[in-house]
Amino acid sequence: MTTKELRQKSVEYRKKILKYIVKAKAGHTGGSLSCTDILNVLYNEIMNVSPANFASPDRDRYIQSKGHTVEALFVVLADAGFFPEKDLETLCQYQSHYIGHPTRKVNGVEQNTGALGHGLPIAVGTALAGKLDQKNYKVYTLMGDGEMPEGSNWEAALTAAHYKLDNLCAIVDKNTLQITASTADVCNTDPLDDKWKSFGWAVKEVDGNDVAALAEVLKGLPFEAGKPSVLIAHTTKGKGVSYMENVLKWHHGVPSAEEYEQAIKELDESLSAI
């Protein structure tokens, strides 16, 4: 895709994320909007995974550690053809597989996630299996900066560096807010880049809401031969909707009818400006 097409795709994804959250009357709005561009670039530019090859042992793997922002993942998977988009009409309804966290009952989802700090350990095991099986697939995991204090992440980070898993890329959606306050106030993990480097990872940083910058840096994997890669993506929580951006209550806020109308208007205006 061209950069323009990717930007347009991100806006359409954000509109759909809001549509289904409003219909469900539930969802993690701010974090889904912050990671939209990352998922867009991964599925449309970077990863070798599709409905056609999802059963292949050679496919790339994506694991969403920050599983609470599943609305963004569902919208992107539907667009990629893993299931009909109309299925999302049942989001968070009784007996629907489309619940508030990723589940393997949904086509295209690799692993059940949601308990923060589990995605990276799973990704490390998957990447290690790829090395042992002499496969060329890559493993990607998306983490939130709010889960960085979890000890399981750092055990996994040590293991990944020890086994030289340069087929692994962790992406940290660093939007600086979590459910109760800023990440700096809850448990400050900065300087995050130095911590990852000290654990033996190759580190890069990027504007996580810039699709062109994301595509450029992710096409350069691994960042260093023999080391796992981590991309610290600086994003804006609630990206694309003025009254949501960097506002704590939109961690899992659901827009009213009037707020939804305003959000769609703003997104349509940004679409016409691309």
Side-chain angles (χ1 to χ4, degrees):
M1 288 187 179
T2 65
T3 297
K4 180 177 181 179
E5 288 170 334
L6 284 170
R7 289 172 178 162
Q8 291 170 332
K9 184 78 76 173
S10 283
V11 175
E12 293 298 341
Y13 284 158
R14 288 186 168 95
K15 289 169 64 178
K16 291 178 180 180
I17 288 166
L18 292 173
K19 172 185 174 180
Y20 293 114
I21 285 176
V22 168
K23 180 173 176 55
K25 298 182 175 63
H28 286 81
T29 310
S32 289
L33 296 177
S34 73
C35 71
T36 299
D37 301 296
I38 299 167
L39 290 171
N40 180 8
V41 170
L42 284 174
Y43 277 90
N44 291 303
E45 282 290 299
I46 301 300
M47 295 195 300
N48 175 32
V49 63
S50 68
N53 75 353
F54 195 67
S56 169
D58 298 315
R59 74 189 182 281
D60 287 340
R61 273 72 163 175
Y62 171 76
I63 297 163
Q64 185 149 314
S65 190
K66 50 174 289 180
H68 55 289
T69 61
V70 73
E71 293 86 11
L73 177 60
F74 283 163
V75 164
V76 173
L77 288 176
D79 183 62
F82 283 95
F83 52 83
E85 187 183 319
K86 64 180 177 58
D87 288 2
L88 295 181
E89 299 285 342
T90 69
L91 180 70
C92 290
Q93 293 182 17
Y94 177 60
Q95 292 189 328
S96 172
H97 294 324
Y98 301 89
I99 56 176
H101 290 85
T103 166
R104 292 179 66 190
K105 293 180 179 179
V106 173
N107 291 336
V109 173
E110 289 282 356
Q111 294 289 342
N112 296 15
T113 54
L116 296 177
H118 288 190
L120 183 61
I122 294 170
V124 169
T126 307
L128 181 57
K131 290 288 188 180
L132 292 172
D133 291 340
Q134 298 182 336
K135 296 292 185 181
N136 292 321
Y137 65 73
K138 290 185 174 67
V139 182
Y140 301 83
T141 184
L142 178 63
M143 311 163 70
D145 53 348
E147 67 182 289
M148 287 296 94
E150 297 279 356
S152 52
N153 284 324
W154 301 106
E155 294 173 30
L158 282 172
T159 303
H162 176 78
Y163 287 106
K164 300 178 171 58
L165 300 182
D166 56 5
N167 58 341
L168 171 64
C169 177
I171 304 170
V172 181
D173 180 12
K174 197 173 192 297
N175 62 32
T176 73
L177 293 175
Q178 56 192 101
I179 188 169
T180 56
S182 71
T183 53
D185 288 338
V186 174
C187 186
N188 190 12
T189 52
D190 286 330
L192 200 53
D193 57 339
D194 289 342
K195 287 182 174 63
W196 283 101
K197 289 174 184 175
S198 72
F199 274 72
W201 287 56
V203 182
K204 288 194 176 184
E205 301 191 51
V206 71
D207 179 345
N209 294 131
D210 183 334
V211 291
L214 282 163
E216 181 179 4
V217 72
L218 287 169
K219 286 176 181 177
L221 292 169
F223 298 153
E224 188 174 336
K227 288 186 177 183
S229 303
V230 60
L231 181 61
I232 300 173
H234 297 273
T235 63
T236 299
K237 199 154 190 175
K239 179 67 177 180
V241 181
S242 62
Y243 63 84
M244 292 184 184
E245 291 188 353
N246 291 316
V247 177
L248 185 65
K249 77 170 188 175
W250 291 106
H251 178 82
H252 50 41
V254 177
S256 66
E258 294 77 14
E259 289 169 330
Y260 174 66
E261 182 179 358
Q262 180 184 339
I264 297 301
K265 180 182 178 182
E266 290 185 10
L267 288 166
D268 282 337
E269 288 173 351
S270 69
L271 188 61
S272 63
I274 293 174

